[in-house]
Amino acid sequence: MKPLLSINNLQAEVEGHEILKGLNLTINPGEVHAIMGPNGSGKSTLASVLAGNEDYDVTGGSVDFDGIDLLDIDASERAKEGLFLAFQYPVEIPGVSNINFLRAALKEIHEHKEIDPLTAKEFLAKVKEKSALVELDGKLTNRSVNEGFSGGEKKRNEIFQMAMLEPKMAILDETDSGLDIDALRIVAQGVNAMRSPERSFLLITHYQRLLDYIVPDFVHVLYKGQIVKSGPKELALELEEKGYDWIKEEMAL
Amino acid sequence: MTPVQDHKKAAFLEQFSKDEEVLLASLPHLQASVKDALEELEIPHRRTESWKYTRVNKIINKEWKTGSSNAPSSNSLFPNWEGSRVVLVNGFFREDLSTLKPEDGLVLTSMKDASKQHGEVLGQHCASLSGQKEELFEAHNLAFAKDGLFLHLNKNAALKGSILLENHVSGQRTSAQNRNLIILEQGAQLNMIVAHYGDQEDPIFSNDLSEVFVGENAQFTCDLVQSYQGEEQFAINTIWANQAKNSRFTLSTSTLQGNWVRNNVNVRVSGENCETNLYGTYQLRNKQHVDNHTMIDHKVPHCESNEHYKGILYDQSTGVFNGKVFVREDAQKTNAFQQNGNIVMSDNASMNSKPELEIYADDVKCSHGSTTGQFDEEAVFYLMARGISEQNARELLVKAFVGEVLEKIHHPEVKALFGEEE
Ligand SMILES: Nc1ncnc2c1ncn2[C@@H]1O[C@H](COP(=O)(O)OP(=O)(O)OP(=O)(O)O)[C@@H](O)[C@H]1O
Ligand SMILES: [Mg+2]
């Protein structure tokens, strides 16, 4: 099988600090991977670099996304190619309505793919369907992007946007943190409903709990800017039980 | 005043003709005070509080000649306008270029004609609000203005459509100073678009002044649009308004282009239960400079004012906002809200924003605020991460920022200039 995403010896720094130190990861179509790791190990940095945040300087390595040199194109083009990032901390954008910006985004994505734009009616039907999927209140879809949303509403809004844009690959950065039990279940349902043989997920999380709902094919540990351990879903249970010290010790050996 | 300044001022004023044609010739009761003012008032300089951030040397030190009424008038921003259109060229009323739809209760003519046919009304109102005794350029306008628009709406007259007033100034080193008088009698309603064009690239100096009298229960709504295209174009736009009780005055000012623009908006709220709304937007590029000075004077109780100006400064542009709100001792139960927000897009652009609230009454609700910040790059990235191109993302955010003010613009034709859907 041809991998959907292959990250090769990726190195990145921010303001002169080296954060990613030669990271390797391969994700095949349809797979769900989970990344865990201590605070500050570089998980969000990886997500940002993949999504094209220019605050981070890539100093080495390569990323191939479905045959495209991902590092060669900007954030908007990456999204158009089918990469999606659900942010750990979604920003509030006063004055830009959720609906209008999604309409604009879909329009650009369709242009890029050279497929017909949605009619106004189709678009609204899609909004209705996808917001129902994550049980996002209709009022929220019409408000300014994330403005005044609760923490949980922001996370649901991220999943709603993912459902609208139907990416090939979605990176979810701690989408589970800050969610109550019901919301967690709803978000997980949304993700599971989107699982398909072509679509892959990269879940960044601190908690095994999310992985009870969205069962991963692989679990990786990111530590000091590298993937230091990979394993089946049981690895997450082991981490939950034992913490990261044993891995740090293994590393020291 | 130093002898040098004195000399400069004299040389500047010398260029403007004082012939029989000036409106002042038919306003004998004002002549002495204008003469005194021109002699006594200083050229605004760095220490003149109200001109601190806007230099006038470039106007004073240049040569100007009075523009011709026959100068060409260039394209309009409103080519498809179907209502009444009033065209002034270099400050002169051009009946041939205007399309006037007669309406009940409306008198619309040139100031030149009004000084003959409506001399009494004109004499009573003209220069009764404006500040020619305090401001050199207002005295200058009164001394040398030759024409302008005279608009009088009778009691309870409500026009079917809006009136578009277009001001063109063109011709090398042309100066234009026109004076408009707008009178709304009790219960009258008027909607206007006022457009200012600095045509072509000609160096021009436009000093335009309007006095607006909003009678009891009357409503005045105006969208002002400024587009001065040339580099050496200087424009002073002054509006004085007086509101009688239960009236509404709403003005939006959109500066689309302008290398040197000074707007003065002064509203005296003289009657109870009035509503005053002032809105403004500017998006400045290159070395453009726009200065918005506003003053709302609450003299009586139970009135409300809303003021909201928002702007974006790119490149090496500079902006000034100064908003004075007076709430006099008697003006209890006043609600006065004022806000100025700016985004500075470049290290070389700058904004001087100063809200000035002076409150002498104790039972009032007043708030004011001023923010000047950078563009939210995180928001740009967020939008891009959803597939929106960088340019579109930035445009979306700019629109969102000024959107709050744009939505207050009354005429869809003016909103459309910002690419808003009608
Ligand atoms: N813009 C930045 N400026 C300076 N340092 C940064 C910046 N962004 C990230 N870092 C640093 O990079 C390191 C990795 O941060 P990152 O956010 O990727 O960690 P993380 O694994 O996502 O942590 P958490 O589990 O707490 O979310 C941290 O030490 C962080 O302080
Ligand atoms: Mg993180």
Side-chain angles (χ1 to χ4, degrees), chain A residues 14-15 17 19 37-46 55-56 88-89 173-174 204 206 222:
Chain A
V14 61
E15 286 162 13
H17 302 282
I19 315 276
N39 293 131
S41 57
K43 302 183 296 298
S44 294
T45 301
L46 172 63
D55 290 347
Y56 299 84
Q88 181 173 4
Y89 304 109
D173 191 0
E174 293 198 29
I204 297 172
H206 285 294
L222 180 57

Side-chain angles (χ1 to χ4, degrees), chain A residues 117-161:
Chain A
L118 294 180
T119 64
K121 209 173 146 197
E122 287 166 339
F123 176 75
L124 288 177
K126 188 165 185 170
V127 167
K128 214 169 155 193
E129 181 203 330
K130 303 300 183 187
S131 54
L133 185 70
V134 291
E135 297 180 26
L136 187 74
D137 192 327
K139 282 197 292 276
L140 295 183
T141 58
N142 282 314
R143 288 224 313 248
S144 288
V145 180
N146 295 322
E147 193 185 23
F149 286 28
S150 76
E153 286 167 347
K154 282 181 185 163
K155 298 298 177 78
R156 272 196 238 188
N157 193 24
E158 295 292 288
I159 302 302
F160 164 64
Q161 292 175 31

Side-chain angles (χ1 to χ4, degrees), chain B residues 60-112:
Chain B
I60 302 291
N61 299 340
K62 293 264 161 65
E63 278 176 33
W64 303 106
K65 59 175 197 286
T66 304
S68 143
S69 65
N70 295 321
S73 58
S74 81
N75 297 335
S76 165
L77 285 171
F78 308 95
N80 302 320
W81 184 258
E82 285 176 353
S84 285
R85 184 193 298 262
V86 179
V87 178
L88 300 188
V89 175
N90 289 337
F92 296 95
F93 189 97
R94 284 284 298 271
E95 196 155 4
D96 56 324
L97 300 176
S98 303
T99 344
L100 302 176
K101 314 227 152 135
E103 295 215 43
D104 287 345
L106 169 67
V107 177
L108 194 161
T109 182
S110 69
M111 284 289 271
K112 215 189 277 180

Side-chain angles (χ1 to χ4, degrees), chain A residues 76 80 85 91 108 158 161, chain B residues 382 384 386 388-389 392:
Chain A
S76 146
K80 288 185 177 102
L85 169 62
V91 292
E108 284 199 39
E158 295 292 288
Q161 292 175 31
Chain B
Y382 189 91
M384 287 177 72
R386 298 300 177 247
I388 296 176
S389 70
N392 288 348

